[in-house]
Amino acid sequence: MNDPLDRPLRIALVDDQPLVRAGFTMVIDSQDDMEVVAQASDGVDAVEVLRGRTIDVVLMDVRMPRMDGIEATARILEQAPADRSPKVIVLTTFDLDEYVVSAIRAGASGFLLKDAQPEDLLGAIRTVHRGDAVIAPSATRRLLERVVRAPEPEEKDTAVLEPLTEREREVLTLMGRGFSNREIGAELFVAEATVKTHVGRVLAKLGARDRVQAVIIAFETGLVAPGAS
């Protein structure tokens, strides 16, 4: 678990463009509850700079020389102690970048476009630190429909879904359809707090780091089909 919020969130920036890092630093350091404590110009540097450091959130560019953001994300999370593993937000120039899902599979908690508004960047950092996905439900669905190949019927491996109860499958299905917790609660006639409990159990049973990875599983197992609404 991350440390209690009695100190600013420790943020690391990984991007090969100095101006991008400078801009993000200016925005982040303007906040009382977060600060940039480490920077790296590519994945190789990032792995070395972050080794042994306590970092709460890493903003990770996807396309960089020497080592891209996907491999860097995997290595950083592998070397971090389980109880101090940072959250990683993938930065991309292109909406629905084909590298994003690979990065999420490597352990990233979501993605953010580089041209996002400052308040969206700050909100994303706080969101992933709480353990939620940084991608809005509608954006998650658009991303997965474009990038995750829907398996053919004979290719679907549904064994990972077996531990889920019927209600948990319903919750995962609605997550995959882009429903927020509040919308899931309204659909199932349960309190939002109850939905949060179900979501937590779904993540635990699937071995998913966060909501985004759970939704990927929903698509890949065929529980949710591309275009479903």
Side-chain angles (χ1 to χ4, degrees), residues 35 180 182 188 218 229:
E35 62 180 338
S180 66
R182 180 175 298 179
L188 300 180
S229 61

Side-chain angles (χ1 to χ4, degrees), residues 106-118:
S109 296
F111 87 102
L112 190 69
L113 296 180
K114 284 189 175 181
D115 62 358
Q117 294 297 314

Side-chain angles (χ1 to χ4, degrees), residues 5-6 26 49 62 77 103 131 149 154-155 162 170 184 193 208 217 227:
L5 293 179
D6 56 0
M26 185 180 303
V49 168
V62 171
L77 294 177
R149 181 179 66 86
E154 64 273 12
E155 296 178 340
E162 291 178 0
E170 290 177 330
I184 292 173
I217 291 172

Side-chain angles (χ1 to χ4, degrees), residues 39-73:
Q39 297 189 36
S41 59
D42 60 41
V44 173
D45 286 343
V47 172
E48 291 303 316
V49 168
L50 302 187
R51 181 173 286 118
R53 303 269 317 254
T54 297
I55 300 294
D56 296 305
V57 178
V58 180
L59 298 183
M60 177 74 71
D61 189 18
V62 171
R63 300 179 180 181
M64 297 179 292
R66 297 208 296 170
M67 182 188 294
D68 65 23
I70 298 172
E71 185 175 354
T73 293

